[in-house]
Amino acid sequence: MADEQAISEGDVPDAKSITISEGSQKQLANQLDREFADPCMKYNMNYQHIGTCIIFNNKNFHPSTGMSIRNGTDKDASNLMKTFKNLGFHTEILNDQTCQQMFQKLSNVAKSDHSQMAAFICVFLSHGEEGLLYGTDGLEEIKTFTSIFRGDLCRSLIGKPKLFFIQACRGNEFDAGVETDGIETDSKGEPATSLQKIPIEADFLYAYSTAPGYYSWRNTANGSWFIQALCHVLDSYGKKLELMQLLTRVNHKVALEFESNTDANYSSAKKQIPCIISMLTKEFYFP
């Protein structure tokens, strides 16, 4: 109604100017559509196999570690197996693995031929600290497990997404929450013919269950908050949305739909927010 009144009062450009403005908007919209549709900005998923998903499910720990049993983790592992199988991945669960066993398994996977696979996924379900992950026998740096998939060490995954989902604590802090109201181209646009060099750390994504320094919550019956949310979002929207959109929805679900309820006041009514670190160079869509 306000626009109609403004036009009648002569407060807008003449008809010719309006027509040019609308045409420019359409031209810009078409240009954006072409950019969004650019296949060079999406990971190629047109391979014989979508890829492998390895799930390390550490529930029981050696007494020397001082770590308690992770009740509820089997529920996480089962849900993850179902979710990633439905997305087309060859999925494998390995239970109660030592640091050396995890490293050896991933080393063997990294040495395998991934030339006919589109991606690689690894999920860690364990205890942890900032930058560290527990095997059943002790601690190891997370980068020890992930660095063997770098471009200079695992050449058949160069330029392909390598996704790591890490359900583990990153410290002992509690989040009390807060109240609230509510391929390169040349100058002509043609594919470049020169040999490309990409960073060896490119095409990695790390999705942590919690922010640095914070505790990560797990329900002994239903599994961890992060994995519950991840599986729900992937099951519901996994074949519709881009990966960063999916993980943003996971963040939203964990942040708003979960809150701790314990017998101890110091750990009750606490919140959690997952943390995404992306070195992906293209958009990732599950096929």
Side-chain angles (χ1 to χ4, degrees):
M1 190 64 180
D3 289 342
E4 293 176 0
Q5 184 178 4
I7 291 173
S8 67
E9 293 172 349
D11 292 333
V12 296
D14 60 26
K16 182 178 180 181
S17 297
I18 293 174
T19 302
I20 294 174
S21 176
E22 290 176 349
S24 297
Q25 290 178 2
K26 289 180 180 179
Q27 184 178 6
L28 178 60
N30 290 336
Q31 180 181 347
L32 291 173
D33 286 342
R34 288 193 297 272
E35 291 177 359
F36 284 128
D38 184 0
C40 293
M41 286 307 299
K42 297 180 181 180
Y43 282 108
N44 178 21
M45 305 302 287
N46 188 27
Y47 287 88
Q48 186 175 350
H49 304 287
I50 183 173
T52 298
C53 173
I54 303 296
I55 301 169
F56 291 107
N57 180 36
N58 289 341
K59 179 179 181 179
N60 304 288
F61 298 82
H62 192 277
S64 64
T65 65
M67 293 293 104
S68 60
I69 186 171
R70 298 183 62 256
N71 291 316
T73 190
D74 291 335
K75 181 71 171 179
D76 282 344
S78 175
N79 288 340
L80 287 163
M81 167 74 83
K82 178 182 177 181
T83 292
F84 284 112
K85 270 192 171 182
N86 287 341
L87 290 171
F89 284 83
H90 172 72
T91 307
E92 181 180 1
I93 297 177
L94 294 98
N95 295 312
D96 290 342
Q97 300 286 286
T98 65
C99 293
Q100 180 58 34
Q101 286 174 325
M102 290 193 291
F103 178 79
Q104 190 60 55
K105 174 64 178 180
L106 291 176
S107 295
N108 292 338
V109 173
K111 294 174 184 176
S112 301
D113 182 11
H114 299 268
S115 59
Q116 292 303 314
M117 296 185 182
F120 171 71
I121 292 178
C122 180
V123 186
F124 295 102
L125 308 174
S126 191
H127 288 299
E129 298 178 11
E130 180 55 38
L132 303 171
L133 195 70
Y134 271 93
T136 57
D137 59 341
L139 282 166
E140 184 57 80
E141 288 187 282
I142 293 175
K143 67 179 182 181
T144 299
F145 304 119
T146 62
S147 63
I148 52 181
F149 292 93
R150 296 185 332 188
D152 57 338
L153 300 176
C154 181
R155 299 195 62 83
S156 62
L157 281 175
I158 290 177
K160 299 177 181 180
K162 297 162 278 283
L163 315 179
F164 292 87
F165 297 91
I166 303 164
Q167 168 55 46
C169 289
R170 303 179 71 184
N172 297 316
E173 292 185 59
F174 291 117
D175 187 336
V178 62
E179 296 295 328
T180 179
D181 292 332
I183 303 175
E184 298 190 5
T185 57
D186 61 21
S187 59
K188 297 180 180 179
E190 298 294 329
T193 56
S194 60
L195 182 64
Q196 267 193 328
K197 180 185 287 188
I198 64 173
I200 60 174
E201 300 284 0
D203 304 300
F204 279 82
L205 179 136
Y206 305 92
Y208 292 88
S209 60
T210 192
Y214 282 89
Y215 190 82
S216 185
W217 290 94
R218 170 175 34 85
N219 184 281
T220 56
N222 300 323
S224 62
W225 297 358
F226 175 61
I227 299 301
Q228 287 184 61
L230 177 65
C231 290
H232 173 81
V233 170
L234 291 180
D235 290 343
S236 301
Y237 310 105
K239 297 184 180 180
K240 301 175 184 177
L241 301 177
E242 198 273 330
L243 180 59
M244 296 306 295
Q245 293 177 307
L246 293 167
L247 293 180
T248 300
R249 293 196 179 208
V250 172
N251 282 5
H252 182 272
K253 189 174 182 66
V254 173
L256 298 184
E257 297 184 18
F258 291 88
E259 183 174 300
S260 66
N261 181 16
T262 70
D263 294 332
N265 289 335
Y266 75 91
S267 60
S268 191
K270 304 304 180 184
K271 303 293 289 184
Q272 180 178 320
I273 182 67
C275 178
I276 307 164
I277 300 175
S278 175
M279 281 85 84
L280 298 182
T281 58
K282 298 181 181 181
E283 297 169 356
F284 180 96
Y285 290 89
F286 291 103

